[in-house]
Amino acid sequence: MKVQAYLAFDGNCQEALNFYGELFNADVENRVTYEDKKIDVPSSYRKKLQHAELKGKGIAFMAYDAAPDTPINSGNQIHLSADFNDKEEAEDVFNNLSGSGIVHHEFREREWGFFGRCTDKYGINWMVNARN
């Protein structure tokens, strides 16, 4: 069995996937826009992503730009957890994710290792861990 996150964005999915792809050395795959779909979306939205996947070593999730008639509500129901073996790498990723976002828990040593929690500039919640 495999469980995979599917993230919804408000028109900036491609930008977010480019950011995450560069940060995690992953590729955007299976990119599909609203362009040729028989879906009632404004013409300005046709080049937005109806579906895409980010895949790399140790990372895989799906994402899309929700249609304008599907409002995106920010919430804390979902977090993506990124686990690392290297503390410096984890801290660097945390700093990049939280750089233009919100830090909820500073990246610091905890009972099990190093941990930080943040919301990035796209409204996605992250937990970054590094084992001792």
Side-chain angles (χ1 to χ4, degrees):
M1 182 202 275
K2 176 178 162 185
V3 176
Q4 191 171 20
Y6 205 122
L7 306 180
F9 291 89
D10 194 20
N12 58 355
C13 184
Q14 185 65 60
E15 177 187 337
L17 290 178
N18 290 343
F19 173 74
Y20 299 138
E22 186 174 322
L23 184 61
F24 293 111
N25 192 29
D27 297 314
V28 179
E29 299 179 0
N30 301 321
R31 194 177 167 281
V32 179
T33 66
Y34 287 96
E35 193 103 40
D36 299 321
K37 305 297 179 199
K38 295 180 181 178
I39 298 173
D40 187 23
V41 295
S43 59
S44 63
Y45 215 78
R46 290 279 169 200
K47 294 194 184 300
K48 302 294 181 186
L49 294 177
Q50 185 189 26
H51 174 82
E53 299 172 34
L54 188 74
K55 293 183 177 180
K57 184 177 180 183
I59 184 169
F61 64 82
M62 298 178 289
Y64 77 112
D65 285 309
D69 64 348
T70 306
I72 299 293
N73 298 312
S74 294
N76 60 359
Q77 299 90 343
I78 203 166
H79 284 75
L80 293 179
S81 179
D83 296 315
F84 296 86
N85 292 324
D86 181 76
K87 181 233 179 211
E88 285 75 27
E89 184 181 10
E91 189 169 20
D92 184 54
V93 166
F94 179 81
N95 290 337
N96 276 285
L97 288 169
S98 63
S100 296
I102 301 165
V103 173
H104 302 289
H105 297 288
E106 291 289 337
F107 188 83
R108 66 176 178 82
E109 192 166 16
R110 314 292 170 139
E111 303 81 44
W112 64 90
F114 291 84
F115 171 80
R117 188 171 71 84
C118 66
T119 301
D120 70 21
K121 62 185 174 184
Y122 302 106
I124 304 302
N125 296 305
W126 290 88
M127 294 179 182
V128 179
N129 289 283
R131 303 274 177 224
N132 277 341

